[in-house]
Amino acid sequence: MELEIKKKSTLSKLIGLAGILSFVWGLFSLAILNAALLLKTETFPDFFLIKNPMFGIILGVIGLFTRRRPRLYAWWGLGINVFILLFTFLMFMLAWTINAKP
């Protein structure tokens, strides 16, 4: 009898790395947000403040369902990406409450 070695498919490898990718994606989004705030840009790029964290949240949720990889990076990635979305929406909502003219 010969032993057959199963090779992992690329999809299962990507699902295994989804938590780490979510964490790295969240750190990247947070760095872009900090750079935009430090440079005091007038317009924030929509891709980096809304679409980028949404992709990180999707990766984090996929990373929570992995069996052999630790889920800690997926939780951190979810936390960072949700924070960026909440910060963005709260920043715009609170900016709308400022009344320049009494």
Side-chain angles (χ1 to χ4, degrees):
M1 303 265 311
E2 294 180 21
L3 293 175
E4 184 178 335
I5 299 173
K6 285 180 134 182
K7 292 185 179 180
K8 284 188 174 181
S9 67
T10 57
L11 181 64
S12 65
K13 288 180 185 178
L14 287 177
I15 289 175
L17 292 175
I20 295 171
L21 287 175
S22 171
F23 178 68
V24 171
W25 204 267
L27 288 178
F28 176 70
S29 299
L30 194 61
I32 295 296
L33 175 67
N34 285 334
L37 289 174
L38 287 173
L39 295 175
K40 297 180 183 176
T41 58
E42 293 295 324
T43 59
F44 290 126
D46 179 44
F47 174 74
F48 290 116
L49 291 181
I50 296 173
K51 294 176 185 159
N52 214 1
M54 290 296 280
F55 184 67
I57 289 173
I58 292 169
L59 283 175
V61 169
I62 292 171
L64 287 177
F65 294 110
T66 59
R67 295 180 192 257
R68 296 190 179 152
R69 299 262 181 177
R71 295 182 184 106
L72 182 65
Y73 289 115
W75 283 112
W76 274 100
L78 272 174
I80 292 171
N81 288 308
V82 166
F83 168 75
I84 292 171
L85 277 179
L86 284 176
F87 176 77
T88 302
F89 288 123
L90 285 175
M91 182 177 61
F92 286 118
M93 290 296 194
L94 291 175
W96 285 336
T97 62
I98 297 173
N99 190 3
K101 297 178 183 177

